[in-house]
Amino acid sequence: ASIIAVPLGILVGISKIAFKAFNPYFQLLKPVSPLAWLPLGLYIFRNSEMTGIFIITIASIWPTLTNTAFGVANVNPDYLDVSKILGASKWRTIFKVIIPAALPNIISGLRISMGISWLVIVAAEMLLGTGLGYFIWNEWNNLYIPNILVAIFIIGIVGIVLDQIFAYFEKLVSFGKKSS
């Protein structure tokens, strides 16, 4: 999802035309439950692993896409003016000015997307019969609650670790500290 969302978010954030072209589709697709895509994914891919990847991508693309577009669209105009005055090319401006200035928003979107994808993967695995989600469902069918609780604990711990990694990167790319 990130491979699609970040470049598309940059394009949408830079270009008002791209924003007007893509935004209606984003608004149409964003609220659709990821599990509603499951039958379509199974029909298209005919493979549970590819369907799982498809569902996770559909669910987690939106926060990164919208945060990236917002961050890019709200880059300080003075930065862009200085870049233009110094004669920077469009590509150089994108890579040396726009992306670094939008990076805190991009990382925030990635952090939210990671959380959503972690939620969706377990649900998708329950339905697709693979992974930890399937294990939980199978243990429910066996009425073995202790294993379910252990799996839930593992999911929570992994979620915390992933979130803390993104929180670290978020802090790393933020400009200065705000006083409390």
Side-chain angles (χ1 to χ4, degrees):
S2 303
I3 292 169
I4 298 165
V6 172
L8 189 55
I10 291 168
L11 172 70
V12 169
I14 288 174
S15 169
K16 291 181 182 181
I17 293 170
F19 178 82
K20 288 181 182 178
F22 287 110
N23 191 50
Y25 298 105
F26 299 160
Q27 298 310 317
L28 174 73
L29 298 173
K30 186 169 51 173
V32 177
S33 167
L35 297 180
W37 292 96
L38 183 68
L40 184 60
L42 285 170
Y43 177 76
I44 292 170
F45 299 109
R46 302 191 190 281
N47 175 306
S48 62
E49 285 186 29
M50 288 301 297
T51 300
I53 292 168
F54 170 71
I55 289 171
I56 293 163
T57 301
I58 287 289
S60 63
I61 196 168
W62 310 116
T64 301
L65 180 61
T66 55
N67 274 25
T68 301
F70 175 80
V72 168
N74 289 297
V75 169
N76 188 333
D78 293 341
Y79 299 165
L80 301 175
D81 291 343
V82 169
S83 176
K84 188 182 284 185
I85 289 169
L86 293 175
S89 69
K90 185 71 170 172
W91 287 108
R92 188 163 181 84
T93 301
I94 290 170
F95 286 102
K96 296 290 185 176
V97 177
I98 294 173
I99 292 175
L103 207 51
N105 291 88
I106 295 169
I107 300 293
S108 292
L110 290 169
R111 184 178 181 186
I112 296 166
S113 290
M114 182 280 309
I116 290 171
S117 64
W118 192 237
L119 286 169
V120 172
I121 193 168
V122 175
E125 286 175 344
M126 283 181 176
L127 296 171
L128 297 171
T130 61
L132 199 52
Y134 175 73
F135 173 78
I136 291 170
W137 192 252
N138 196 41
E139 293 305 296
W140 167 248
N141 287 332
N142 294 327
L143 296 174
Y144 200 68
I145 304 301
N147 281 356
I148 295 171
L149 294 173
V150 169
I152 290 170
F153 183 74
I154 291 169
I155 291 166
I157 293 296
V158 171
I160 288 171
V161 169
L162 291 171
D163 185 70
Q164 290 304 305
I165 290 168
F166 278 96
Y168 171 77
F169 285 126
E170 213 171 19
K171 187 176 180 181
L172 198 64
V173 300
S174 294
F175 303 113
K177 288 189 172 189
K178 296 178 184 174
S179 44
S180 306

